[in-house]
Amino acid sequence: MKRDLSLEQLSITQEWDIIIIGGGATGLGSALDAASRGYKTLLVEQYDFAKGTSSRSTKLVHGGVRYLAQGNIKLVREALRERAFLLKNAAHLTSVQAFIVPVFSLWEKFYYAIGLKMYDLLSGKLTLGKTSLLSKNETSSKLPAINTKKLFGGILYYDGQFDDSRLCIDLAVTATRNGASLINYMKAVGFQKSKGKITGISLYDAIHDKTYQVRAKSFINATGVFTDSVLQMDDEEKEDIVSPSQGIHLVVDAHFFPGDHAMMIPKTDDGRVLFAVPWLGKVVIGTTDTPIDFAAIEPRPLEEEIEFLLSHINRYTTSAIKRSDVKTVFAGLRPLVKMKEGKSTALLSRDHTLVVSTSGLVTITGGKWTTYRKMAEDAVSNALFIAKLEKKECVTRDLPIGEIKLRESKLQEMMLRQAFLKEKIHPDYPYLYADVLFAIEYEMAQTLEDILARRTRLLFLDCAAAKEVAATVLAFMAKEMQKDPQWEKQELENFQILAEQYLLT
């Protein structure tokens, strides 16, 4: 996957079958879906792939236990089916995770056991493991950090876990392998129309400061929390349809929550679910649900959200987690579809919504990470229908994602050529300089942030460690990418400013 090759395709292609705006999970899934069906596909992303919501999840591939409590059986059943497809198609980035719901009364044990047994039933043959009841001693044994005061027992169930932004990159690589052209740092800035229908789009390349005029037969808006800005680029009279909701996560060292089991608290003070989930050697704690008026590309955790998570997790653990213990805090925005006034965002459905504008623009929004593939299938199928393109069936249910063997062989080749590439970028984490070079050469990484936040996950695991290695990693990048000292200086400054938002002081 090389940016220059995609730019070359952009220049020589007279008309695309489908252009997709947005390089998060749904957009990349749509690019893979369209390309694997055989359509001439272009995806553009104004920042980096997975820069927004798609890199900031709770890292779960799940049906959504809380949606079951809301009575949304359809969403849960669909998500459980999609969970199975994702675990199969991206086994190198996903895993089965055991969860425990601690309970503090016989009634709670009875109530949550029924719900989780129903979760099992809805999974059917795609179940990941049998739900079982645990005694107080069994619960405390599997959750060594649990506060046993008033603990009655627990319920064990199973769900999926994954590395979100790495999966996005592998979706991009797989889409490219299937013939799609993908370009990051390429912003959609305007549509061209004929007789009220969109026929073309203006694109701005932020890397080379160049504008392109591109034609296509169909267009998909898969921009998540920025859905409304693209809708209004098409029609300035369009009302907003997305109600952004912010969720934050705290990342702490594993000794605060030892063991292999995750914990799920089914109801917090604001009606959400609280998770503590082992992830890449750390523990992710989240999340919150805060209505936001403005969708920012780099949302900032609010003080009340931080205090909310710390106070809630400390109700259930023996060792209190302090602000100084938090390695990283990150915030993401959910693209919830607007409903009736006064309804809490914690209660808004995560069903996806598809809108077809009179101009022919197909918009897909809402939904959740787990259902990205079905969202992509629906978006592409509708775009084909609107554009009257020849119908070809979706093939992504059984399509492997990523090229893990090819990646490993390329990394080995690099390290044989340069022994230095075997060195870690930080002694406490597994990422190598070979990973950095691979990201530059084959994964379209353009900035230091791309490397430390999304190609590796260092910024999301340990902000201080990411800041510590920023200058040396950047110097290596500048040399490999043939960048001048001014670029290097600006990149370091940009990253240090960004990293401050991920660090609690």
Side-chain angles (χ1 to χ4, degrees):
M1 187 171 73
K2 294 177 181 288
R3 196 172 189 275
D4 288 346
L5 293 180
S6 291
L7 288 173
E8 184 180 321
Q9 286 299 312
L10 185 64
S11 298
I12 65 175
T13 303
Q14 292 187 346
E15 186 178 44
W16 301 85
D17 291 327
I18 296 180
I19 292 180
I20 298 155
I21 308 168
T26 307
L28 291 166
S30 298
L32 175 55
D33 185 294
S36 61
R37 295 197 207 193
Y39 299 104
K40 196 178 298 182
T41 304
L42 171 68
L43 177 144
V44 293
E45 161 58 46
Q46 68 172 321
Y47 299 105
D48 185 32
F49 307 121
K51 161 69 176 174
T53 303
S54 295
S55 63
R56 302 159 188 270
S57 73
T58 316
K59 321 306 178 193
L60 300 180
V61 184
H62 64 138
V65 174
R66 77 182 182 98
Y67 310 122
L68 193 61
Q70 295 172 8
N72 197 337
I73 303 297
K74 174 180 172 291
L75 174 61
V76 175
R77 183 182 286 117
E78 178 178 273
L80 288 170
R81 184 173 63 247
E82 292 299 321
R83 179 186 72 176
F85 297 148
L86 185 49
L87 290 173
K88 176 185 68 174
N89 293 333
H92 62 297
L93 292 174
T94 62
S95 60
V96 175
Q97 175 65 57
F99 286 78
I100 293 176
V101 179
V103 294
F104 299 88
S105 69
L106 179 60
W107 164 247
E108 278 192 356
K109 194 169 192 177
F110 175 75
Y111 177 77
Y112 292 122
I114 289 177
L116 289 166
K117 288 288 186 181
M118 186 179 295
Y119 198 59
D120 270 1
L121 288 172
L122 289 172
S123 302
K125 294 179 181 179
L126 302 176
T127 183
L128 302 182
K130 186 178 179 182
T131 294
S132 58
L133 304 181
L134 304 177
S135 67
K136 177 179 179 177
N137 287 340
E138 288 172 325
T139 302
S140 61
S141 174
K142 294 179 186 299
L143 294 178
I146 192 76
N147 186 342
T148 57
K149 186 179 181 181
K150 297 184 180 179
L151 181 68
F152 187 83
I155 303 147
L156 172 69
Y157 76 101
Y158 296 87
D159 243 324
Q161 190 193 50
F162 75 135
D163 185 339
D164 48 12
S165 74
R166 282 303 321 174
L167 181 57
C168 271
I169 300 305
D170 276 12
L171 282 170
V173 168
T174 311
T176 302
R177 184 184 67 208
N178 279 270
S181 294
L182 289 80
I183 313 175
N184 54 1
Y185 297 98
M186 181 72 77
K187 183 178 182 179
V189 293
F191 291 118
Q192 289 88 51
K193 297 182 181 180
S194 175
K195 298 179 182 178
K197 301 295 183 182
I198 301 175
T199 57
I201 190 169
S202 300
L203 302 173
Y204 174 68
D205 181 354
I207 302 295
H208 297 114
D209 189 25
K210 183 177 179 180
T211 300
Y212 294 83
Q213 307 299 326
V214 187
R215 294 179 58 81
K217 297 171 183 174
S218 59
F219 297 82
I220 294 175
N221 172 15
T223 53
V225 293
F226 302 104
T227 292
D228 292 323
S229 64
V230 176
L231 281 171
Q232 289 153 13
M233 187 170 74
D234 170 38
D235 179 357
E236 61 184 18
E237 300 298 320
K238 278 280 189 182
E239 293 185 0
D240 291 350
I241 66 170
V242 169
S243 180
S245 169
Q246 179 162 292
I248 76 161
H249 296 82
L250 309 179
V251 179
V252 298
D253 283 329
H255 69 80
F256 286 103
F257 203 84
D260 298 328
H261 292 75
M263 181 175 70
M264 191 269 275
I265 304 301
K267 193 170 183 180
T268 60
D269 292 347
D270 70 346
R272 282 197 62 79
V273 171
L274 177 68
F275 290 103
V277 185
W279 183 67
L280 300 181
K282 302 290 184 184
V283 174
V284 176
I285 299 167
T287 181
T288 56
D289 198 301
T290 308
I292 297 294
D293 294 329
F294 174 74
I297 188 60
E298 194 60 56
R300 293 174 176 267
L302 302 176
E303 187 60 33
E304 55 264 35
E305 292 180 297
I306 296 165
E307 290 302 321
F308 177 89
L309 285 186
L310 287 173
S311 65
H312 271 72
I313 193 65
N314 285 336
R315 294 178 189 178
Y316 298 97
T317 57
T318 51
S319 298
I321 299 172
K322 304 183 295 295
R323 294 175 67 93
S324 57
D325 298 321
V326 176
K327 310 297 286 188
T328 285
V329 54
F330 62 90
L333 301 181
R334 305 176 191 90
L336 303 181
V337 178
K338 284 192 172 185
M339 296 177 70
K340 293 179 181 179
E341 291 293 326
K343 194 162 189 177
S344 164
T345 54
L347 301 177
L348 291 185
S349 171
R350 296 300 297 275
D351 281 318
H352 63 269
T353 295
L354 195 142
V355 177
V356 179
S357 302
T358 55
S359 64
L361 177 66
V362 173
T363 294
I364 184 79
T365 193
K368 57 203 290 287
W369 230 120
T370 306
T371 58
Y372 88 92
R373 192 209 63 82
K374 183 63 169 65
M375 293 173 66
E377 180 182 349
D378 290 349
V380 172
S381 294
N382 276 271
L384 300 176
F385 177 79
I386 296 300
K388 297 182 172 58
L389 290 169
E390 178 190 354
K391 183 180 179 181
K392 300 174 185 177
E393 295 300 321
C394 172
V395 298
T396 55
R397 284 191 178 189
D398 301 305
L399 187 64
I401 299 166
E403 298 179 323
I404 186 64
K405 290 183 179 179
L406 180 61
R407 186 179 195 277
E408 288 175 350
S409 66
K410 290 286 186 184
L411 287 170
Q412 289 300 322
E413 285 177 21
M414 289 177 174
M415 290 185 287
L416 283 174
R417 291 199 309 266
Q418 299 182 63
F420 160 73
L421 296 177
K422 297 178 182 179
E423 294 183 16
K424 292 181 178 182
I425 63 174
H426 191 284
D428 297 337
Y429 295 91
Y431 307 117
L432 310 176
Y433 278 95
D435 295 314
V436 178
L437 183 57
F438 187 88
I440 293 168
E441 292 194 358
Y442 299 104
E443 295 180 337
M444 228 177 275
Q446 302 294 311
T447 71
L448 180 60
E449 180 195 340
D450 296 348
I451 296 288
L452 294 182
R454 290 174 292 278
R455 303 309 186 277
T456 73
R457 303 313 311 272
L458 191 56
L459 181 63
F460 282 74
L461 292 170
D462 188 334
C463 181
K467 291 181 67 176
E468 184 181 330
V469 303
T472 52
V473 171
L474 184 60
F476 174 75
M477 290 179 66
K479 178 184 175 185
E480 294 296 330
M481 298 170 72
Q482 298 182 325
K483 297 291 187 178
D484 60 33
Q486 181 57 37
W487 178 88
E488 191 173 348
K489 178 183 177 182
Q490 189 62 57
E491 272 296 297
L492 186 58
E493 182 180 320
N494 291 345
F495 183 79
Q496 296 292 7
I497 293 171
L498 172 77
E500 288 301 316
Q501 295 180 211
Y502 290 72
L503 193 63
L504 289 188
T505 55

